[in-house]
Amino acid sequence: MKLERLSLFHVVSTAVLLLVVVVTLYPFLHMLAVSLSGDAYVMRNEVTILPKGLNFNMYEIVLGDPKMWNAIKNTVVYTAVGTTIALIVTSMGAYSLSRTNMAFRKGLMMLIVFTMFFGGGMIPTFLVVRSLGFVDTLWGMVIPGAVSTWNLILMRTFFSGIPKELEESGRMDGLNDIGIFLRIIVPLSKASFATIALFYAVGLWNNFIYPLLYLRTPDLFPLQVLLRNLVLAGSVSSGDVTRIGGDNQIVEESLKYATIMVSTLPILIVYPFIQKYFVKGAMIGAVKG
């Protein structure tokens, strides 16, 4: 009876997971197929998940637009700088809060958890960012979101699980708190750092709220703002688009999908390189409280 229940559970869970995979992958595959299909097939709505009349015209237009490359460069810079700053601030704060001898540790932790449920709001946050002179600068993209409360708690929990004997041995060798953090804690926490870095990088790569609020110069816009303007407004910067196919609306639809693919693939490519750390870091940071 137990084996029957177990096998039924496996069948149901496998079916549910397969359904989730199909629902998740279908829009992605459909957009890829449309962006690679010929105009006639797209006009007749014959494209599903496999491209027909293979052509790369849309990608030539997207990658040939200087605004696109400038937006990609801005997005890479914001993601790299923002992730680095976020990891430094989050890891140092998490390490401090994981020390049981830290003064006012419980009170500070309660204040930090409080921010998960209550925030200052968009307008007060904007006023603070403007008063600091971060509007229309790189720092307005990376400083306001430098610390995620959830990521801080995950990393603090991970650090709490590191044996205290390692720290004691470091102190016997003459290391202070900073030395222990840099020479003992950080090398032992690669899985946690990789996991939190992925969380921050994905959030920064897909972020368009901060650019809409804090950026005024179009040359500073990241990829997501360019994509948003293209998808919502249907604006096309290249004059070559109107000469492709006979229906501009369909061509613009293909162009939107090509732009979405260009903006999505880079962050997806990063994931396989840190996948081996991801599950380990997430699980270790979520077990011990």
Side-chain angles (χ1 to χ4, degrees):
M1 183 65 67
K2 184 177 181 180
L3 289 176
E4 291 180 359
R5 288 199 300 266
L6 184 61
S7 115
L8 179 61
F9 171 78
H10 285 166
V11 170
V12 173
S13 60
T14 302
V16 171
L17 290 176
L18 287 176
L19 179 62
V20 171
V21 169
V22 171
V23 172
T24 304
L25 284 182
Y26 177 79
F28 186 83
L29 295 176
H30 177 70
M31 288 188 296
L32 179 62
V34 171
S35 65
L36 291 173
S37 297
D39 299 324
Y41 297 99
V42 178
M43 292 176 191
R44 294 195 296 264
N45 198 24
E46 297 179 357
V47 181
T48 53
I49 60 174
L50 295 177
K52 295 184 177 181
L54 186 65
N55 77 85
F56 298 92
N57 292 336
M58 294 300 111
Y59 289 94
E60 291 176 0
I61 294 173
V62 170
L63 297 178
D65 191 345
K67 292 182 179 180
M68 177 63 63
W69 285 107
N70 184 66
I72 292 175
K73 180 199 72 173
N74 292 336
T75 304
V76 171
V77 172
Y78 298 154
T79 302
V81 176
T83 302
T84 302
I85 293 176
L87 280 179
I88 293 174
V89 176
T90 302
S91 62
M92 294 179 68
Y95 175 68
S96 301
L97 292 171
S98 67
R99 303 304 91 190
T100 56
N101 58 348
M102 177 183 175
F104 308 111
R105 173 173 170 266
K106 292 185 178 179
L108 289 173
M109 198 62 212
M110 291 179 61
L111 292 176
I112 291 173
V113 173
F114 181 83
T115 63
M116 294 181 66
F117 307 99
F118 303 96
M122 182 183 299
I123 295 177
T125 303
F126 173 80
L127 294 176
V128 171
V129 172
R130 188 180 65 175
S131 67
L132 294 174
F134 290 163
V135 173
D136 214 23
T137 66
L138 165 67
W139 308 115
M141 298 296 97
V142 299
I143 297 299
V147 178
S148 165
T149 304
W150 176 251
N151 293 339
L152 179 68
I153 294 174
L154 280 180
M155 191 165 275
R156 182 205 65 124
T157 306
F158 182 89
F159 290 158
S160 299
I162 296 178
K164 300 297 185 294
E165 291 78 9
L166 294 176
E167 296 185 30
E168 294 174 0
S169 64
R171 294 190 186 280
M172 292 178 62
D173 292 335
L175 295 178
N176 55 16
D177 289 331
I178 297 178
I180 292 174
F181 176 71
L182 295 177
R183 297 190 180 186
I184 297 178
I185 303 299
V186 173
L188 293 175
S189 307
K190 292 181 180 178
S192 178
F193 273 88
T195 304
I196 301 303
L198 179 64
F199 291 159
Y200 278 123
V202 171
L204 288 166
W205 185 274
N206 294 325
N207 184 28
F208 70 93
I209 296 298
Y210 286 171
L212 290 178
L213 290 176
Y214 306 137
L215 293 183
R216 301 291 181 268
T217 305
D219 290 339
L220 296 177
F221 286 166
L223 190 58
Q224 300 304 325
V225 172
L226 191 67
L227 173 62
R228 171 188 175 275
N229 294 338
L230 181 62
V231 171
L232 295 184
S235 59
V236 179
S237 61
S238 175
D240 295 335
V241 176
T242 57
R243 295 198 293 269
I244 301 176
D247 190 330
N248 291 339
Q249 183 178 359
I250 296 297
V251 172
E252 289 182 5
E253 197 71 16
S254 300
L255 182 66
K256 292 174 185 178
Y257 288 164
T259 307
I260 292 173
M261 297 305 301
V262 170
S263 65
T264 304
L265 284 176
I267 198 66
L268 290 179
I269 294 174
V270 175
Y271 178 76
F273 294 98
I274 60 177
Q275 182 181 9
K276 61 181 179 180
Y277 301 108
F278 181 76
V279 176
K280 179 181 178 183
M283 291 301 294
I284 291 178
V287 172
K288 183 178 178 181

